[in-house]
Amino acid sequence: MPLIAPSLLFADFLHLERDCKMLNESDADWFHLDVMDGRFVPNISFGPMVVDFIRKTTKKVCDVHLMIVEPEKYTEAFKNAGADHVSVHIEACPHLHRNIQQIKSLGMKAGVAINPHTPISELKEIIRDIEQVIVMSVNPGFGGQKFIPHTIEKIRQLRKLITESGSKALIEIDGGVTVDNASEIVNAGADVLVAGNAVFKSSDPEESIKKLKQSGQSVA
Ligand code: DX5
Ligand code: ZN
């Protein structure tokens, strides 16, 4: 079964504690926390201060997705806020290996996120050093976008690269995941499904999380 990582971007920030409680009681595995800087992506979300508040509400994994330039300036602040995983974008990091070492030296799991136009082959020299890859299935910056179908092929390529290299990295898919397309994504080789809209805009978020969790089982 895939791990489910609801994105808090769509939580009701006036009732954040209530939404975190709902996730705690649901089948969700991770809290996916989307940090945007208005430079790497054309939107601004929240920073370490909000992650710190969310951390206080949950024992589940806090999976921080940094859509920011110069992430090295903030990695320690996210560690102090309680992040368990930190992922940085390959497109924002000319010294990616150094970023990964920094995240790991602070005792967190390290991930690399790649935009829809970035080929899987770019991960070849870093794949053994990381715990997860976030394959963006929309252009980052906004929730509620449509899944880019070509991502399915990228998931297959990444699964092959991971197997051949002996890496233990998890494949996390982020953007446009729904109850309807989750099975295809899991069957292509995904380990973790991020879902914003599909959870928080649903009439029954807990039920939607349950359905996402059961996705890989429906198709052989
Ligand atoms: C996009 C973010 C995603 C996104 C998920 O920049 O990284 O995590 O908000 O939301 P949905 O599932 O609605 O695409
Ligand atoms: Zn994300």
Side-chain angles (χ1 to χ4, degrees):
M1 273 198 241
L3 299 175
I4 308 302
S7 165
L8 274 284
L9 207 52
F10 280 100
D12 179 348
F13 276 66
L14 278 181
H15 300 98
L16 194 52
E17 191 172 15
R18 181 199 66 194
D19 284 2
C20 290
K21 190 164 179 281
M22 178 276 290
L23 292 183
N24 281 332
E25 288 164 5
S26 77
D27 289 341
D29 298 280
W30 297 356
F31 282 29
H32 183 80
L33 306 175
D34 285 307
V35 176
M36 304 179 183
D37 66 353
R39 292 182 63 201
F40 179 64
V41 289
N43 197 8
I44 297 175
S45 58
F46 52 78
M49 193 181 83
V50 172
V51 173
D52 191 62
F53 279 114
I54 293 170
R55 170 80 284 170
K56 290 187 173 75
T57 72
T58 189
K59 291 199 166 51
K60 295 195 185 194
V61 165
C62 284
D63 178 45
V64 173
H65 176 193
L66 295 182
M67 286 162 273
I68 67 174
V69 297
E70 300 180 333
E72 59 280 0
K73 289 187 180 169
Y74 305 97
T75 309
E76 198 164 350
F78 284 104
K79 168 67 187 178
N80 294 338
D84 299 296
H85 301 174
V86 167
S87 295
V88 295
H89 266 266
I90 196 168
E91 302 86 3
C93 297
H95 305 289
L96 183 64
H97 188 267
R98 184 179 288 153
N99 289 95
I100 297 304
Q101 296 309 116
Q102 183 197 25
I103 295 165
K104 296 218 261 196
S105 71
L106 288 164
M108 298 180 288
K109 290 193 173 170
V112 172
I114 62 168
N115 279 343
H117 76 278
T118 302
I120 292 298
S121 55
E122 296 274 315
L123 294 164
K124 188 167 177 275
E125 305 304 333
I126 199 82
I127 195 73
R128 280 176 297 268
D129 297 312
I130 57 180
E131 273 89 25
Q132 60 189 52
V133 177
I134 298 182
V135 179
M136 293 306 303
S137 36
V138 298
N139 287 292
F142 303 94
Q145 301 182 77
K146 218 170 158 313
F147 183 85
I148 297 172
H150 177 61
T151 311
I152 296 292
E153 177 52 28
K154 287 180 79 177
I155 299 170
R156 292 200 188 102
Q157 290 174 13
L158 179 55
R159 175 55 62 209
K160 189 164 177 276
L161 176 65
I162 287 173
T163 308
E164 286 174 2
S165 64
S167 161
K168 302 232 168 0
L170 296 179
I171 302 177
E172 179 171 1
I173 307 305
D174 189 3
V177 174
T178 66
V179 167
D180 294 327
N181 65 16
S183 295
E184 193 187 1
I185 296 168
V186 171
N187 287 313
D191 301 296
V192 187
L193 302 178
V194 174
N197 225 44
V199 169
F200 285 101
K201 300 291 181 203
S202 142
S203 55
D204 188 345
E206 282 194 62
E207 184 57 26
S208 298
I209 292 169
K210 200 178 286 266
K211 282 190 186 145
L212 288 168
K213 185 91 192 155
Q214 285 160 356
S215 51
Q217 295 179 332
S218 43
V219 190

